[in-house]
Amino acid sequence: MKILFEGIVNTCFTILFMAPAPFCVDDARNSILEDGFYHLVDLEQPEQNVEMEPEGFALASEYGLDFCKLKVLDDMRVRSILQSFFDWSGLGLYLRYGRDPGHNFSFRRGGAKAGLRVLIVHMWSKGSRATYYCGSHLHSLPTIKAANGLFEIPSAGLRIAACQGKDIEFPNGGLVILDARLAFEIKQGSATTFAFTTKSELATWAKMTLPKSHGLAQKVAEMESTGIGVNFAFEE
């Protein structure tokens, strides 16, 4: 009986403290293709000591560019996902969106005909909550241009298309990679947002302007050294 009991305890201990499943780029790619997004549950922190401030920090600053490089561009999981979709990718958008409950947005529209041309990375602040609508990237949904520059999608359109929302909580922050056509809702917190696309697509996007300074120029060069392009321009 003692041996059996010890065996049960050891088994339970192993299950409770089992390491999370290793990251698999094929699983991530399939999830993005089918559901429209992939949630990196076990967000690994880089060794470099760069932490998100409690309140929004300036993105167009040396700290902001360091944050982008260390938290996203240097993350091999993010890089491997980008490489699985694009031969070359560049950062074309870097900004932050705050909570806006009751409103559903997407970065692109057009459904399946529009194709996958842009991937978005959401870096969520602690305590955030969001809903991602599975499969909505494959439907050409009705939209209106929103004040935040995104496309707002009426909830009725998502219901008609039978797109089920998946609620995700980020008590300690987290990271999600999504097809830019996917509908999402920010219920709580904020998402520092990065958009990656192909070279031909990026050439049509407006430049992200930065104040002219030696420090910022050095940070941009460090970002470019990762092999991922950036779409910055310096003010004259």
Side-chain angles (χ1 to χ4, degrees), residues 9-21:
V9 171
N10 290 337
T11 300
C12 292
F13 183 87
T14 300
I15 292 173
L16 287 172
F17 294 94
M18 186 181 298

Side-chain angles (χ1 to χ4, degrees), residues 208-230:
M208 297 180 286
T209 56
L210 294 171
K212 192 171 184 178
S213 78
H214 174 74
L216 289 175
Q218 183 176 350
K219 295 300 180 184
V220 169
E222 291 172 1
M223 295 171 74
E224 291 175 327
S225 71
T226 64
I228 296 176
V230 294

